[in-house]
């Protein structure tokens, strides 16, 4: 292999450029510049997560976000960093975050081609006890008009229209997974050189994982099929099923991607539409898992998450996603 096409010591930045070079030789490089905004923010957030107690950044910020959830100081910090690193990229037309009620119009009509949606810090309830958290992002093309209040209607596109999606997982190592629709690629932050280095190209999710991941404490208010699945999963007939639930979606999906299994968040009495947000949690994770050979459905009707027509930026959706065989198992009970 010529040095130009070597996969050794490849940073995420180089990987994106290489992919563009292979698929769209005339690409302007704007897209990779945009993604570099995300990786710079991720490195800053990772650093703060690592040294949390030292920065008086732990604990609640004293405010609530649009979902009526208590914001943690780190939620606010991560959001500010992403808004800053992405907001100065000319290619960004609109930014939309879990922490902001309305989308933020940056550069519509002046060369901005992309809408970037993100959950700046996922798993905030886990921050103060040193459990893995993450950042999730979804990228859509902008039609250039930025219609509606703050451009909301430009943002409301189906997940199938995402041009890229990914997450950063601040765990015992910092991992980054991204897809632009040609597979899922995994990188690890090498602190010594300050770059995300390729660790696995074209990741494939196992066909079956034998792990279920759900907040089982809510199970009494799950629709009946989910309860029957959970009963079955504990039976001899099901074979060995294990249960793993971190409570940070990024951590649970990262494990699901690598080890297989099924992650689901059904409707509950408290959250009749499920808890997770369609636009910046469910859609990007659905694209990642599908690109790795997995499935991502809304419920028992096997409707793909990526086909849901969004009505509002912060809408929620129930979801079942992961290895094909484990997902089909849950669906069979619904
Ligand atoms: P966020 O911290 O961005 O609000 O997301 C929390 C989400 C997600 O990370 C996780 O899968 C889910 O909440 C856990 O919810 P439960 O505590 O209800 O199980
Ligand atoms: Mn989240
Ligand atoms: Mn969050």
């Amino acid at each position: 292999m010529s040095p130009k096409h070597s996969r050794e010591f490849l940073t995420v930045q180089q990987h994106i450029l290489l992919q563009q070079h292979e698929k769209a030789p005339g690409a302007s490089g704007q897209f990779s510049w945009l993604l570099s905004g995300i990786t710079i923010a991720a490195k800053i957030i990772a650093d703060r997560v690592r040294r949390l107690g030292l920065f008086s950044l732990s604990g609640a910020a004293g405010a609530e976000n649009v979902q009526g959830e208590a914001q943690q100081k780190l939620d606010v910090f991560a959001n500010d960093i992403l808004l800053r690193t992405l907001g100065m990229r000319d290619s960004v037309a609109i930014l939309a975050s879990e922490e902001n009620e309305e989308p933020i119009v940056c550069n519509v009509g002046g060369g901005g081609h992309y809408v970037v949606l993100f959950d700046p810090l996922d798993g905030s309830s886990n921050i103060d006890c040193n459990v893995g958290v993450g950042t999730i992002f979804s990228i859509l093309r902008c039609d250039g008009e930025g219609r509606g209040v703050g451009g909301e209607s430009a943002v409301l596109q189906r997940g199938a229209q995402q041009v890229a999606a990914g997450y950063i997982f601040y765990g015992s190592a910092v991992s980054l997974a991204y897809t632009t629709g040609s597979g899922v690629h995994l990188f690890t932050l090498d602190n010594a050189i300050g770059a995300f280095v390729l660790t696995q190209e074209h990741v494939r999710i196992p066909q079956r994982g034998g792990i279920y991941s759900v907040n089982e404490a809510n199970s009494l208010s799950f629709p009946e099929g989910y309860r029957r699945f959970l009963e079955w999963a504990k039976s001899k007939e099901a074979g060995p099923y294990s249960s793993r639930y971190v409570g940070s979606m990024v951590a649970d999906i990262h494990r699901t991607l690598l080890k297989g299994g099924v992650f689901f968040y059904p409707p509950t009495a408290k959250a009749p539409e499920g808890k997770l947000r369609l636009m910046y949690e469910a859609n990007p994770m659905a694209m990642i898992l599908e690109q790795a050979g997995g499935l991502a459905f809304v419920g028992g009707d096997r409707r793909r998450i990526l086909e849901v027509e969004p009505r509002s930026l912060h809408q929620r959706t129930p979801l079942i996603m992961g290895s094909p065989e484990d997902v089909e198992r849950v669906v069979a009970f619904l």
Side-chain angles (χ1 to χ4, degrees):
M1 193 180 276
S2 76
K4 200 173 162 193
H5 296 103
S6 163
R7 253 55 180 170
E8 257 185 279
F9 306 112
L10 205 64
T11 67
V12 66
Q13 205 67 28
Q14 291 169 312
H15 193 262
I16 291 160
L17 287 172
L18 218 59
Q19 277 222 324
Q20 280 186 338
H21 189 74
E22 282 163 11
K23 289 187 186 80
S28 62
Q30 273 199 359
F31 185 63
S32 52
W33 177 232
L34 181 161
L35 274 165
S36 80
I38 296 178
T39 55
I40 289 168
K43 286 182 232 175
I44 299 171
I45 298 167
D47 174 63
R48 289 300 193 271
V49 169
R50 289 273 172 276
R51 297 187 285 157
L52 192 65
L54 305 175
F55 279 101
S56 56
L57 263 175
S58 53
E64 285 186 348
N65 66 11
V66 269
Q67 341 277 339
E69 296 157 347
Q71 278 180 319
Q72 302 294 307
K73 285 184 197 160
L74 210 60
D75 283 324
V76 177
F77 177 82
N79 194 42
D80 284 352
I81 291 293
L82 277 157
L83 292 177
R84 244 182 286 159
T85 55
L86 286 169
M88 58 176 66
R89 299 283 191 269
D90 286 342
S91 55
V92 175
I94 297 172
L95 291 173
S97 161
E98 176 188 23
E99 305 299 336
N100 297 101
E101 189 156 4
E102 301 283 346
I104 297 160
V105 178
C106 300
N107 185 18
V108 174
H113 294 305
Y114 299 104
V115 180
V116 187
L117 298 104
F118 50 87
D119 176 352
L121 206 88
D122 172 68
S124 10
S125 69
N126 280 323
I127 299 169
D128 285 348
C129 48
N130 208 359
V131 171
V133 291
T135 296
I136 312 172
F137 61 91
S138 160
I139 301 177
L140 296 161
R141 224 178 281 284
C142 184
D143 66 5
E145 288 171 33
R147 295 157 287 147
V149 184
E152 186 166 58
S153 60
V155 171
L156 298 181
Q157 305 180 38
R158 284 175 304 122
Q161 284 166 291
Q162 291 172 109
V163 289
Y167 62 79
I168 297 100
F169 175 36
Y170 314 104
S172 39
V174 181
S175 304
L176 180 150
Y178 90 93
T179 180
T180 51
S182 347
V184 177
H185 314 294
L186 211 60
F187 300 78
T188 303
L189 179 60
D190 182 340
N191 279 309
I193 58 171
F196 284 97
V197 177
L198 182 67
T199 38
Q200 216 180 324
E201 214 173 14
H202 295 289
V203 183
R204 302 301 290 170
I205 188 171
Q207 272 295 112
R208 179 178 189 272
I211 294 174
Y212 67 79
S213 185
V214 63
N215 188 341
E216 215 169 339
N218 296 326
S219 65
L220 289 183
S221 71
F222 288 169
E224 202 205 329
Y226 292 98
R227 281 184 279 141
R228 283 195 291 117
F229 167 79
L230 290 168
E231 254 170 61
W232 171 83
K234 295 180 189 91
S235 70
K236 261 207 188 113
E237 181 205 336
Y241 251 98
S242 255
S243 155
R244 294 278 185 278
Y245 189 69
V246 178
S248 293
M249 187 192 201
V250 172
D252 284 314
I253 295 296
H254 187 63
R255 183 202 54 248
T256 304
L257 174 68
L258 297 178
K259 304 247 176 191
V262 56
F263 172 85
F264 52 108
Y265 206 113
T268 64
K270 202 172 139 207
E273 297 295 314
K275 179 185 179 188
L276 298 169
R277 276 59 58 113
L278 174 67
M279 301 296 291
Y280 40 81
E281 289 180 321
N283 273 341
M285 292 312 201
M287 182 175 183
I288 288 275
L289 290 178
E290 282 199 5
Q291 281 292 318
L295 296 173
F297 294 141
V298 176
D301 58 1
R302 307 181 88 258
R303 187 155 54 110
R304 287 168 72 215
I305 295 276
L306 297 182
E307 291 302 338
V308 175
E309 206 62 66
R311 299 177 313 276
S312 66
L313 171 59
H314 298 288
Q315 92 184 56
R316 298 170 194 266
T317 178
L319 56 84
I320 310 163
M321 46 174 71
S323 294
E325 285 183 28
D326 298 283
V327 170
E328 292 293 4
R329 261 297 167 194
V330 179
V331 167
F333 280 91
L334 302 176

